[in-house]
Every structure is written in structure tokens, then in C-alpha cells.
Amino acid sequence: MKMIEPNLMKMKYFERAFMESQADRLMSKLNIHPDIKQFEIYLNSHLDKSIEYEEGFIKAAHQKSTFGIGLRLIGTEGREGMTFTSDYSERALEQIITNGIKMMKAATPNPDFKSLAFPSKTYQKVEGIYDPSIEGIAIEDLDKIFDPIFALKQKNLAPIGLSGGFSATLGAVHILNSNGIQNYELATNVGISASVNLLRDDNFGSGFYWQSSPFISKINADNIANVSYDMALRGLKKSPIETGDYPIILSPIATANFLVDPILAGINAESVQNNMSFLCNKLNQQIGADLLTVEDNPHINGQIGTQSFDDEGVATRPMKIIEKGFLKELYHNSFTAGKADCESNGHATRAGYAGRVMISNHNVQMEAGSRKKDDIIAEIKKGIYFDYTGDSPNAITGDFSGLIMHGYVIEDGQIGDALLETLIGINLLDAYKRIEIISKERQWVDENYMPWVKLSSATISSRA
């Protein structure tokens, strides 16, 4: 099986000159309509390649190209019309303008709308976000990448299930609006994952791991294979633990998913303004321990959350989300910023040219501590090593009660048996205040650079 090579004619859709010319064509047609007070043109092109494997064999390979134009029209009293097309013909461009005007005129007035985004004073040029090899990569190029994962089948205790995949995305965006914004960026994103199932003496263990980067050369398949296999091996022996309050060690995965992701969702200004966040009314208040500092940094070389501007064309910038336990900023797009009478801080995002404008994060880092993770674990007489849960907290109250899908008992300073059907319960604001120690080591989990974190306690219950 060979993945289809990209059509070179279609690659023009990713080129800056082509995207600019299409935006200019559409803009020239918009200028003749007096009812339009402001407009925004968003061009987005994607080349997506994916591979699925099972039991050491390629199961399926897919390739898909998408490209199109999204149009936002603003009329009087903040009325907004949004349309899109994947057809760049004259007729299609005229049609989305016609449809957009109809939707704009029929829209409900929005008194909270102030303006579309304005150009930023400066834009930081970012590096390390584009891998040109992604354009022409074929299935044969991936044989050696998967070798360490497929080699798990040769172990003495071979997996009874071995699956996962590869994905690669080439994406280009060009944004132009009536306030003078005109920006273009090209980026890639590559990911590989492995899921391993083991069975020994009727005992079942599972493990998974993944890695993502803008560059395929940065993916370490040996590490993906080893971590996922070792996790499954540890899971073969499971033990319950008495219900009670225990100190908790969060791995970087747990720190990212359990501690930090709810903060990133909670500081979405749209959620805060609609009273749908557990961090409502917490701005400039202390929400966590003094050693908790979290930064959003969109300018880190070679990371998937790196961008010079957001999906409205506003310059991105590093910002302290939490500083010494105090919540310092919310994520804004131009609409929420206008509503709050402040400037957008570059966190607008869209799900392609047909998507509405939303809010998201860039690269997020928790400040490291001064202690080695092994030393922190060694001091725990009885506790929990928490790696992953598939459950989510209540976004409004911050309450969490969920299953620890991957976690282990810590006994006399050593990580021991996997946990058997064990639940953890805690309110997130309590969890942030119970942060006791942060490790000096950190690891990347997608766009998050996270340490190991010790919570002084959380309520744990397990089936006896």
C-alpha cells in the first residue's frame, strides 16, 4: 500500500501569493456593498495524512486536502453574517457575499460587539513550525519509524493488542480584514501513538503513549513503544487501596490533563462572561499555592502551539496566566475583549474556514521547582501516583470525581502495584491550593510543558 502523493497543482492553495490573490478578489467585490460596515476574510488550506495500524500491520491509510474561504460581514448594531465556500470561482465568491449580506441583515443586533480585530503594533516572527518533508511523505517513508513499536510483538510477553496511528497535517492560513489586518502563516503537525494490551495469567494490563511535533524527525518512536509497553506491564498487577486521604504525585500527563487543562478552559473569557466557569470572579485573586506559576508562550521554537498571530490576525504574546498562585489574565478574542473593554491578547481560534471564532491556548508551561521527582516520591510513606483519567471536572463548580485509569500505589517511597478501580475526588480550587512540591524535571505533553506535582492530599476510594 502506498499513500497517494499530494497533487502538485493543489499545493498552490498553500502558497502565500495564491491565498493573497484570492482574498484580494473577494475584497474587491465587497467594496461595492455599502451595507457592510466591516468584513473579515479567512482562507485556510489543509493537507491531512493518517495511518492506522493493528498487530504490527498497516490497517488503513488516508489522505485528504481541504481548502476554502470563510467570510464574516458586520452590519449596523453588531449584526453578523458568516458564510464560506470551497469554490474559488467568480460565481461562488459572489454567492457567499450575497448569502452573507442576507444573514447579516437577518441577524439579531448584538450590543456587545465593538469591532473586528485591528492590526497589532508588532508581530513576533516564529521559527520551527514547518517541516517541508510532510508534503511528499509516503507510507514507505514510515516503515522504519514504526519498527520500534512493531518490535514489541517479539517480546517474551507479546502484546495481545497493539494499535495506534500516525497523523501529519500541513496547514496554511491567510487573514485579511477591513481594519487593515493581512497575515499569512504555514505550519505542520505530526503525531504518532501506540496502545498496548498485555495478558498474563488472566491478568490484563493496558498502556498508551504518544508524541507530537511540527517535525517528523523529532518523534521518538522508541520512547513511545517503551513507555506504552511498560505502562501495560505495570498494569498486570492491580491492587485496591483503603478509602482515605492520601498524598498524590501527578505525572506530567496528569498535571496537564487534570490540573492545567481545566484552567485553560476556565480562563476562556467567553465562558467567564457567561458565568460558565469555575474561575468566574477569580481574576487577580489567589487560586493556588505560592509556587504555582503558569505561562502561555506562543513563541517557543519548534512546538505545536507556536504561532505569530491568532485566527483573527492579532499578534500572539507570552502571558502569565497564574503567577505565584494569583490568576492574572483571561484568554480573549476580539469579541470578548470588546465586551470587557480591553485588547485581545491573541487567543482566537477556528476549526477551519467554516468554523466560528472561538478561544484557545498556545504553548503552556508550568514553572519548574527545585526538587528531583524521584526524591519527592521517595519521601512518601503511602500515597498515589496519578497518571491519567478519562473523566473531566465540572466546568462550572470545579468539582471532580473520576476514575484513575492509570495510576499506582506508592509505598515506602516506591511506585508499586497499579490501582484497581480507584476513584479520586477533589475540587480543583482545593487541588491548586494543595500543591506542595513541584519537580525540577518537565516533559512536553503535546503543547504543554509540565512537571511532576505533589498534592498534599486528595480523597481516594477503591473497591476492596
Side-chain angles (χ1 to χ4, degrees):
M1 183 190 303
K2 180 179 176 65
M3 184 176 287
I4 300 172
E5 294 296 324
N7 186 324
L8 293 179
M9 290 297 294
K10 288 185 176 180
M11 294 312 297
K12 73 176 183 179
Y13 289 96
F14 295 83
E15 296 172 357
R16 181 172 195 155
F18 175 83
M19 298 182 88
E20 288 179 348
S21 68
Q22 304 312 303
D24 289 343
R25 287 175 60 212
L26 185 56
M27 183 175 63
S28 67
K29 298 176 183 297
L30 287 166
N31 287 335
I32 66 173
H33 291 275
D35 293 330
I36 300 171
K37 305 305 179 185
Q38 292 184 316
F39 65 82
E40 180 184 74
I41 300 169
Y42 181 88
L43 286 88
N44 182 235
S45 300
H46 265 86
L47 173 63
D48 299 299
K49 305 181 181 188
S50 64
I51 293 172
E52 301 170 33
Y53 67 83
E54 283 186 4
E55 313 307 329
F57 298 97
I58 300 299
K59 179 182 178 183
H62 308 279
Q63 179 169 299
K64 182 180 180 182
S65 297
T66 59
F67 33 83
I69 305 177
L71 177 64
R72 293 171 72 190
L73 301 180
I74 307 298
T76 57
E77 299 181 295
R79 290 181 171 90
E80 181 178 5
M82 292 188 66
T83 55
F84 60 90
T85 182
S86 58
D87 183 350
Y88 292 154
S89 68
E90 292 292 323
R91 182 178 178 181
L93 297 185
E94 290 170 357
Q95 188 63 52
I96 64 168
I97 293 173
T98 300
N99 293 342
I101 292 173
K102 288 180 180 178
M103 295 177 67
M104 177 186 72
K105 290 181 175 180
T108 303
N110 186 348
D112 291 323
F113 180 87
K114 299 298 189 297
S115 175
L116 293 175
F118 287 91
S120 303
K121 292 180 180 178
T122 59
Y123 288 86
Q124 174 70 47
K125 183 179 179 181
V126 297
E127 304 288 346
I129 62 172
Y130 170 60
D131 182 354
S133 70
I134 299 304
E135 294 179 19
I137 197 166
I139 190 124
E140 290 86 349
D141 301 322
L142 299 171
D143 288 348
K144 292 184 178 179
I145 293 176
F146 284 123
D147 280 350
I149 299 172
F150 292 168
L152 296 176
K153 295 290 290 184
Q154 308 307 315
K155 285 185 172 287
N156 290 333
L157 182 60
I160 61 168
L162 179 62
S163 61
F166 164 88
S167 64
T169 298
L170 167 67
V173 61
H174 177 68
I175 304 170
L176 180 151
N177 76 11
S178 54
N179 290 334
I181 279 178
Q182 185 162 328
N183 290 316
Y184 167 88
E185 198 154 72
L186 180 68
T188 50
N189 185 3
V190 181
I192 296 181
S193 65
S195 178
V196 177
N197 295 325
L198 298 177
L199 184 66
R200 183 173 63 194
D201 301 328
D202 295 326
N203 295 314
F204 178 82
S206 64
F208 68 96
Y209 199 60
W210 72 97
Q211 190 180 351
S212 55
S213 170
F215 290 85
I216 194 167
S217 61
K218 301 293 185 182
I219 301 294
N220 187 336
D222 287 279
N223 189 48
I224 295 169
N226 293 334
V227 172
S228 55
Y229 185 87
D230 290 347
M231 186 183 292
L233 195 63
R234 279 183 174 274
L236 289 172
K237 186 177 182 182
K238 297 182 178 68
S239 299
I241 190 169
E242 286 187 22
T243 297
D245 289 346
Y246 294 91
I248 310 293
I249 297 292
L250 302 173
S251 74
I253 292 176
T255 300
N257 295 336
F258 175 67
L259 277 192
V260 174
D261 279 355
I263 293 175
L264 307 184
I267 63 173
N268 180 317
E270 183 176 8
S271 298
V272 172
Q273 291 170 355
N274 292 326
N275 295 311
M276 298 293 288
S277 167
F278 74 103
L279 294 176
C280 286
N281 304 314
K282 299 297 183 182
L283 195 61
N284 297 317
Q285 294 187 25
Q286 187 165 9
I287 65 165
D290 291 346
L291 70 169
L292 177 61
T293 294
V294 181
E295 180 186 38
D296 186 296
N297 188 344
H299 300 158
I300 301 174
N301 189 312
Q303 297 302 324
I304 62 173
T306 297
Q307 292 177 266
S308 61
F309 58 88
D310 72 359
D311 279 348
E312 289 184 305
V314 175
T316 57
R317 62 173 177 84
M319 56 183 271
K320 287 284 177 65
I321 299 168
I322 299 174
E323 188 170 19
K324 296 183 178 179
F326 283 82
L327 181 62
K328 304 300 289 185
E329 290 202 62
L330 304 179
Y331 286 153
H332 281 287
N333 59 25
S334 64
F335 173 76
T336 61
K339 189 174 179 178
D341 197 24
C342 65
E343 291 186 4
S344 172
N345 48 28
H347 286 274
T349 189
R350 308 182 200 223
Y353 62 88
R356 73 179 186 90
V357 178
M358 298 181 290
I359 293 173
S360 188
N361 60 283
H362 303 298
N363 301 307
V364 177
Q365 304 177 98
M366 182 181 290
E367 189 172 278
S370 59
R371 302 278 308 280
K372 291 183 178 181
K373 68 177 178 66
D374 290 342
D375 293 341
I376 300 170
I377 295 169
E379 295 174 351
I380 296 176
K381 180 72 173 174
K382 184 93 170 185
I384 301 295
Y385 186 94
F386 179 10
D387 198 42
Y388 179 75
T389 176
D391 298 311
S392 300
N394 185 304
I396 300 175
T397 66
D399 291 328
F400 178 83
S401 179
L403 180 68
I404 300 177
M405 294 180 65
H406 289 276
Y408 310 91
V409 177
I410 299 174
E411 202 146 21
D412 295 326
Q414 299 292 321
I415 298 175
D417 294 351
L419 294 166
L420 175 65
E421 296 184 18
T422 300
L423 298 172
I424 181 172
I426 194 170
N427 183 277
L428 288 173
L429 291 173
D430 289 334
Y432 303 139
K433 292 171 183 174
R434 295 182 193 180
I435 294 176
E436 197 170 73
I437 308 174
I438 295 177
S439 75
K440 65 190 301 182
E441 304 98 328
R442 291 184 290 180
Q443 289 184 358
W444 282 101
V445 181
D446 293 325
E447 71 273 25
N448 301 311
Y449 194 38
M450 295 291 125
W452 283 258
V453 173
K454 181 188 177 186
L455 305 183
S456 59
S457 66
T459 300
I460 300 296
S461 59
S462 181
R463 188 180 74 175

